[in-house]
């Protein structure tokens, strides 16, 4: 396979314009209208691929893997074999290690224009890559399914060994516009009545805790900033998604609303969990058009398997067997409300 260079591709259906690079399947930009028809780019990011390559910012816009989130001490045991992963975020392994799926160049397998434009990326993760067992064939397809809706379908097949797989789309959203400041006045609703509490190293303890009566309760719509000061640096927690209303076989995970532009994002998925993260570690990063991104300048809705699930027998398993297929879909439904 010829080495492909990182470049930026565009999906445009006349209403919405999305830019995605084959470096990490990264969404670099997503522009859509507000209540007055004014376009704004609602994704934190950079104008070119270089800052992504140089990891100027933490996982902006990328698909992370082979396993998203933290694996305790960078260790797990599978089928009697002990595996050791890079401890790239001491004391844990985070988002696939030193060179996760976010920083590799994927092959462009298909690129379609038209009223439902789409792009499909492929990546082959080899046995032992970043410490993980077995060869894994991965595909990710972004499709603009209607004027204001984008769908992401991620699939992975284990070729010869059982392996944990949990991909996550790590875009930082700001529905008021990427350069509009913090997201504390935007409201969020999360269809998750439990979270997985974490220890001092941000690894789940194994407990499943009801959010009722805590600052983590977003079961009804509330401002992101309403009780953020009660949770340390901000939200960086895995929500256990409830089985509520469905669309296209997917469950409602979250709804975010920006009062200034009236833009709304409804997210639907098929995963058991979702990391809700409020850009707590973003600090003075210079992005598109010279915009400076500070703390809480965006929020991430990372649908996923539970963090450290490979070491927590009471969490839903993230292990797939040889020949088995991992399937993860996200439906990003934008609207004006």
């Amino acid at each position: 396979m010829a080495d492909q260079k990182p470049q930026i591709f565009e999906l445009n259906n006349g209403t919405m314009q999305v830019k995605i690079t084959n470096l990490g399947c990264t969404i670099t930009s997503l522009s859509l209208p507000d209540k007055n028809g004014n376009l704004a780019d609602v994704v934190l990011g950079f104008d070119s691929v270089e800052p992504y390559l140089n990891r100027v910012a933490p996982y902006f816009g990328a698909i992370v893997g082979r396993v998203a989130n933290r694996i305790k001490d960078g260790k797990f045991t599978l089928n009697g074999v002990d595996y050791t992963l890079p401890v790239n975020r001491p004391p844990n392994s985070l988002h696939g290690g030193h060179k996760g799926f976010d920083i590799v160049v994927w092959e462009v397998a298909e690129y379609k224009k038209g009223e439902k434009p789409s792009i499909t990326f492929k990546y082959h993760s080899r046995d032992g890559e970043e410490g993980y067992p077995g060869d894994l064939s991965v595909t990710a397809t972004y499709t603009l399914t209607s004027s204001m809706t984008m769908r992401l379908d991620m699939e992975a097949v284990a070729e010869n060994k059982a392996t944990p797989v949990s991909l996550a789309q790590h875009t930082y959203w700001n529905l008021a516009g990427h350069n509009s400041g913090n997201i504390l006045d935007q409201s969020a609703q999360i269809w998750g009545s439990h979270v997985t509490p974490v220890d001092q190293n941000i690894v789940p303890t194994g407990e499943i805790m009801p959010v009722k009566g805590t600052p983590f309760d977003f079961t009804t719509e509330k401002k992101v900033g309403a009780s953020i000061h009660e949770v340390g640096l901000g939200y960086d927690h895995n929500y256990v998604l409830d089985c509520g209303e469905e669309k296209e076989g997917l469950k409602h995970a979250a709804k975010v609303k920006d009062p200034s532009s009236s833009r709304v994002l409804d997210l639907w998925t098929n995963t058991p969990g979702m990391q809700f993260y409020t850009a707590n570690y973003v600090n003075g990063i210079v992005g598109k058009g010279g915009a400076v991104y500070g703390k809480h300048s965006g929020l991430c809705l990372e649908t996923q398997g539970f963090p450290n699930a490979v070491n927590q027998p009471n969490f839903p398993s993230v292990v797939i067997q040889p020949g088995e297929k991992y399937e993860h879909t996200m439906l990003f439904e934008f609207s004006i409300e």
Side-chain angles (χ1 to χ4, degrees), residues 74-146:
K75 294 189 165 89
F76 67 92
T77 302
L78 191 56
N79 296 339
V81 181
D82 295 336
Y83 293 96
T84 303
L85 311 173
V87 175
N88 60 318
R89 192 63 56 89
N92 305 306
S93 189
L94 177 72
H95 291 331
H98 292 306
K99 193 176 181 186
F101 293 179
D102 64 294
I103 200 79
V104 297
V105 178
W106 297 50
E107 179 190 343
V108 179
E110 194 171 46
Y111 184 27
K112 292 187 203 159
K113 307 269 170 125
E115 61 179 64
K116 289 191 179 177
S118 70
I119 189 162
T120 299
F121 300 101
K122 278 193 341 197
Y123 180 65
H124 182 265
S125 176
R126 61 182 201 288
D127 182 20
E129 186 173 324
E130 293 297 307
Y132 287 96
D135 292 283
L136 189 74
S137 294
V138 194
T139 62
T141 301
Y142 292 92
T143 309
L144 303 190
T145 52
S146 70

Side-chain angles (χ1 to χ4, degrees), residues 13 17 23 41 88 116 182 186 190 201 212 242 262 264 300 306 320 324:
N13 61 9
Q17 180 207 51
L23 179 73
D41 178 355
N88 60 318
K116 289 191 179 177
N182 71 51
Q186 297 177 26
I190 298 173
N201 296 318
K212 196 172 162 56
D242 302 329
S262 299
V264 175
C300 301
F306 293 2
I320 58 169
E324 274 188 352

Side-chain angles (χ1 to χ4, degrees), residues 10 18 44 48 68 73 81 117 124 129 133 147 172 177 179 188 196 198 211 214 221 239 283 288 291 301 318 332:
E10 185 183 309
V18 187
L44 274 56
S48 66
D73 302 328
V81 181
H124 182 265
E129 186 173 324
S147 64
Y172 289 68
N179 54 355
T196 51
V198 293
V211 296
T214 76
E221 189 183 307
Y239 280 73
N283 176 12
K288 286 176 280 196
L301 305 166
V318 292
F332 301 91

Side-chain angles (χ1 to χ4, degrees), residues 305-327:
F306 293 2
N308 197 38
V310 73
N311 291 312
Q312 279 292 353
N314 64 315
F315 284 179
S317 175
V318 292
V319 173
I320 58 169
Q321 300 301 323
E324 274 188 352
K325 186 187 277 188
Y326 161 93
E327 293 178 297

Side-chain angles (χ1 to χ4, degrees), residues 13 21 30-32 44 61 66 86 94-95 103 120 123 127 139 141 154 173 184 191 236 246 267 304 306 321 325 334:
N13 61 9
T21 168
L30 190 152
S31 297
L32 71 164
L44 274 56
R66 182 178 299 197
L94 177 72
H95 291 331
I103 200 79
T120 299
Y123 180 65
D127 182 20
T139 62
T141 301
M154 294 173 266
W173 302 98
L184 300 177
W191 277 258
D236 191 4
E246 286 203 353
L267 175 60
Q304 61 180 6
F306 293 2
Q321 300 301 323
K325 186 187 277 188
F334 297 96

Side-chain angles (χ1 to χ4, degrees), residues 42 46 75 107 152 160 172 198 205 212 247 250 272 309 335:
V42 298
F46 304 101
K75 294 189 165 89
E107 179 190 343
L152 168 58
N160 39 36
Y172 289 68
V198 293
T205 60
K212 196 172 162 56
K247 175 174 289 200
L250 306 173
S335 58

Side-chain angles (χ1 to χ4, degrees), residues 236-251:
D236 191 4
H237 294 78
N238 173 59
Y239 280 73
V240 179
L241 296 176
D242 302 329
C243 294
E245 50 174 322
E246 286 203 353
K247 175 174 289 200
E248 297 172 36
L250 306 173
K251 54 194 175 181

Side-chain angles (χ1 to χ4, degrees), residues 170-187:
H170 209 301
T171 292
Y172 289 68
W173 302 98
N174 186 333
L175 294 181
H178 74 100
N179 54 355
S180 66
N182 71 51
I183 43 80
L184 300 177
D185 273 339
Q186 297 177 26
S187 66

